[in-house]
Amino acid sequence: MKLNREQYVAAHHMDGPMLVLAGPGSGKTHLLVERIRMMIEESHILPENILVITFSQKAARQMQARFLRSVEGRSYPVTFGTFHAVFYHILQEFDPKINRLITQEEQRTFLRKAVRSSAPANDLYYSDDDEDTVLGLISSYKNFGEEEFLKRGPGKDMTIRELDDLHKVYENYNRIVRDEHLIDFDDMILLCREVLYRHEYFLRRWQERFCYFLVDEFQDINEGQYDVLRLLAGDRMNVFAVGDDDQSIYGFRGARPELMKKFLHQYIGCKQVTLTMNYRCCANVIGAADTVIRHNTDRIDRPMQHPAASDSKGIVKIINTESTDVQAAFVCDMIERLRKEEGYRLKDIAVLYRSDHCAKLFVKMAEKRGIAIRRNKENTEKKAPDMLNVMTAHASKGLEFACVFIIGLQEGLFPHHKNLSGIGAEEERRLMYVAMTRARQRLYMITVSTGHGKRPSRFAADASEDLRYISDRLWVRRV
């Protein structure tokens, strides 16, 4: 596949900092792979001096595999790794006695212990459903520090009771981790930053080892990772950062999309390229998603385009239902219709939601009707029988499907009741944008709007602002 004009400009940028704004379906992985190949084969940069950083082992493996295919298996020792792996390697080289990193399962186990020891059994502050959020708050607290956490981090939107609860859990969690002689990911980042700050000779060794840095999903970076990356890049500043601030959905883990703006200003002479072409989504999905995300104010504005060569408009529908059981029945009916009348397979379809309890009734009804369901993101990689994908909007990041249903579009559910204003509301809108842009051909947005003061989500209303992009709006009642 050839590079388009914007991809070509970015791929041929070799020295100095560059920020690439890469929206959904814009071919960023293709760009990164081609740039690495050009660096080695055309600019004769030593492959061992190139470090490619991603946010997950899966992404690192996939990018490395694509790169090897692009160079037809030639042996180029480029390093592909996660922040996690790179930082841990730095610490291990500095001091082989550095404690073992905590595993994800250990982290969750220790959090549950910390919660239980922080409150009476009949008054637990957090439930198991809150684990990711609480771990994210602990991460933010460590990376921001207490003052900044309260001033400009998640703490500024929390009540006194919520802050007090978090502080108790935070102290107990850290005590349990220390007692086990372990460190978590955030401890590792902070320790790595401290080592590089204080030991210049050691920093120089790493700066000589890696001269070029390519960072994927840059919108997910936190302050500590940003600082370590800047130290490693040194005066060369050869950082090629690729990301999309509109897809920053991990604020609860300490991610700060505003660091993309900081990168532009702090890295002197930084170039910027925007990949505006969306090769994934049909025109109607692009239009509706763009209408939703434009309501955010703290973002780098840019257009999103549909390839002129494609005449597929696709389908976007907003469906108002009067209850959750009607919503579940409608989605099941539509899935059966898509299979029987349109020829879609279950694996081509995804049902996305904001939090787990939104999906319980739908899953129960789908299983009763004999619809085979795959519930988590990891299983989408495995070879399995034809199954419907049901997952949270967060878990859908990086995936795509021919048809997408977004359910539970109700104020207080999506957006979540804890994030109805301020920074949280902007992240909820970015999460909605991610969910919408998983759809290639058909997007169905399902609201529940009646009973007990229920109101349709603001996102459904925003998506329908420009009716040129909406093919239909329906109201579904109980029969």
Side-chain angles (χ1 to χ4, degrees):
M1 185 173 71
K2 291 183 178 179
L3 298 171
N4 65 29
R5 184 175 60 83
E6 291 87 1
Q7 291 171 332
Y8 182 88
V9 171
H12 283 80
H13 173 86
M14 290 296 136
D15 295 315
M18 171 169 276
L19 177 65
V20 179
L21 283 171
S26 60
K28 66 181 179 66
T29 303
H30 176 57
L31 162 64
L32 283 163
V33 166
E34 277 299 291
R35 181 172 189 267
I36 299 167
R37 185 191 63 77
M38 290 179 184
M39 292 171 73
I40 298 168
E41 296 185 346
E42 297 180 14
S43 296
H44 307 294
I45 293 169
L46 294 176
E48 55 264 36
N49 290 153
I50 301 172
L51 175 61
V52 185
I53 305 177
T54 68
F55 277 83
S56 71
Q57 293 179 350
K58 170 191 167 187
R61 289 194 301 268
Q62 289 180 339
M63 194 174 299
Q64 184 175 31
R66 286 187 61 169
F67 170 68
L68 290 174
R69 288 197 298 271
S70 76
V71 296
E72 299 177 341
R74 288 187 286 277
S75 179
Y76 294 141
V78 177
T79 299
F80 294 82
T82 62
F83 276 109
H84 178 128
V86 172
F87 290 6
Y88 188 61
H89 188 60
I90 290 173
L91 289 177
Q92 281 281 291
E93 187 171 301
F94 178 77
D95 182 2
K97 297 190 296 292
I98 290 292
N99 290 337
R100 177 176 67 82
L101 275 172
I102 190 172
T103 67
Q104 190 175 51
E105 186 53 42
E106 287 172 332
Q107 196 173 30
R108 293 181 182 279
T109 299
F110 294 164
L111 177 64
R112 295 184 196 114
K113 290 181 180 179
V115 170
R116 285 197 297 270
S117 60
S118 301
N122 62 345
D123 187 29
L124 290 181
Y125 299 127
Y126 302 109
S127 68
D128 290 349
D129 290 340
D130 296 322
E131 284 180 359
D132 282 343
T133 300
V134 180
L135 287 172
L137 289 170
I138 291 174
S139 175
S140 294
Y141 196 94
K142 288 185 178 183
N143 283 282
F144 278 112
E146 183 176 4
E147 183 178 348
E148 288 298 299
F149 180 83
L150 296 173
K151 182 179 178 182
R152 63 185 177 90
K156 76 182 188 63
D157 294 322
M158 297 174 68
T159 66
I160 294 176
R161 170 63 190 273
E162 288 172 334
L163 288 169
D164 184 52
D165 294 351
L166 176 64
H167 184 73
K168 291 176 183 176
V169 173
Y170 176 84
E171 291 295 329
N172 284 322
Y173 170 80
N174 283 335
R175 174 182 53 77
I176 294 169
V177 173
R178 286 194 302 270
D179 288 348
E180 295 289 336
H181 305 290
L182 299 172
I183 59 174
D184 66 16
F185 183 47
D186 298 296
D187 295 328
M188 180 184 65
I189 294 172
L190 299 175
L191 185 56
C192 188
R193 181 170 62 182
E194 183 179 349
V195 166
L196 295 177
Y197 265 131
R198 293 189 176 185
H199 302 275
E200 187 172 352
Y201 77 94
F202 188 69
L203 172 62
R204 297 298 179 207
R205 281 169 56 185
W206 277 88
Q207 288 177 337
E208 290 171 5
R209 183 176 305 181
F210 294 117
C211 306
Y212 292 86
F213 300 83
L214 294 84
V215 186
D216 192 17
E217 303 288 1
F218 197 73
Q219 75 278 355
D220 294 332
I221 201 169
N222 65 33
E223 192 83 52
Q225 293 164 335
Y226 182 93
D227 289 345
V228 174
L229 178 64
R230 192 153 191 256
L231 283 166
L232 292 173
D235 294 335
R236 294 191 190 100
M237 298 190 295
N238 290 330
V239 179
F240 189 81
V242 181
D244 180 9
D245 57 337
D246 286 338
Q247 295 189 75
S248 180
I249 60 174
Y250 299 116
F252 60 89
R253 295 181 186 168
R256 292 182 52 207
E258 62 267 29
L259 288 173
M260 295 181 73
K261 291 182 180 179
K262 184 178 180 179
F263 180 86
L264 281 172
H265 298 301
Q266 199 169 45
Y267 281 71
I268 306 302
C270 183
K271 305 294 184 183
Q272 179 181 330
V273 169
T274 302
L275 306 184
T276 61
M277 200 63 68
N278 184 324
Y279 295 100
R280 174 194 303 155
C281 306
C282 63
N284 285 336
V285 171
I286 291 174
D290 190 53
T291 303
V292 168
I293 199 62
R294 282 204 309 261
H295 285 261
N296 271 2
T297 57
D298 188 16
R299 62 185 291 262
I300 303 173
D301 190 30
R302 69 276 191 183
M304 185 163 56
Q305 304 176 55
H306 186 60
S310 174
D311 58 0
S312 172
K313 295 296 183 183
I315 292 174
V316 176
K317 291 187 178 182
I318 300 175
I319 297 95
N320 300 289
T321 63
E322 67 170 13
S323 65
T324 52
D325 59 338
V326 173
Q327 172 182 252
F330 172 79
V331 175
C332 287
D333 289 344
M334 281 299 302
I335 289 170
E336 290 297 337
R337 187 181 304 172
L338 288 171
R339 293 176 68 191
K340 295 175 181 178
E341 299 179 12
E342 304 294 337
Y344 288 102
R345 295 168 297 179
L346 284 178
K347 68 179 182 180
D348 298 325
I349 305 170
V351 177
L352 309 182
Y353 52 91
R354 175 63 178 85
S355 53
D356 286 336
H357 70 273
C358 294
K360 288 180 179 177
L361 184 60
F362 166 73
V363 169
K364 184 178 180 180
M365 186 172 293
E367 290 176 340
K368 186 177 180 180
R369 293 197 183 189
I371 299 174
I373 289 177
R374 178 165 41 207
R375 286 297 303 271
N376 60 68
K377 183 176 180 177
E378 287 72 30
N379 283 344
T380 60
E381 297 176 27
K382 299 177 182 178
K383 292 182 179 180
D386 190 29
M387 302 176 79
L388 174 69
N389 302 284
V390 181
M391 65 185 73
T392 65
H394 279 102
S396 73
K397 180 79 162 56
L399 303 177
E400 60 181 75
F401 306 92
C403 308
V404 169
F405 293 83
I406 307 176
I407 63 175
L409 286 179
Q410 175 187 318
E411 285 293 297
L413 292 180
F414 200 174
H416 194 273
H417 65 89
K418 292 184 178 180
N419 298 317
L420 296 178
S421 62
I423 295 174
E426 293 228 336
E427 179 151 323
E428 290 288 310
R429 190 175 292 278
R430 293 194 293 268
L431 182 59
M432 182 67 193
Y433 177 77
V434 167
M436 295 174 73
T437 53
R438 300 311 93 196
R440 293 195 302 269
Q441 300 165 8
R442 294 170 177 258
L443 173 63
Y444 301 91
M445 302 169 65
I446 322 294
T447 72
V448 179
S449 60
T450 62
H452 304 292
K454 294 178 181 177
R455 291 186 296 118
S457 168
R458 65 191 70 178
F459 303 141
D462 295 341
S464 64
E465 283 180 2
D466 191 339
L467 294 180
R468 289 176 303 167
Y469 297 121
I470 306 300
S471 60
D472 197 7
R473 301 184 74 220
L474 306 173
W475 181 274
V476 180
R477 294 183 182 274
R478 187 189 306 275
V479 178

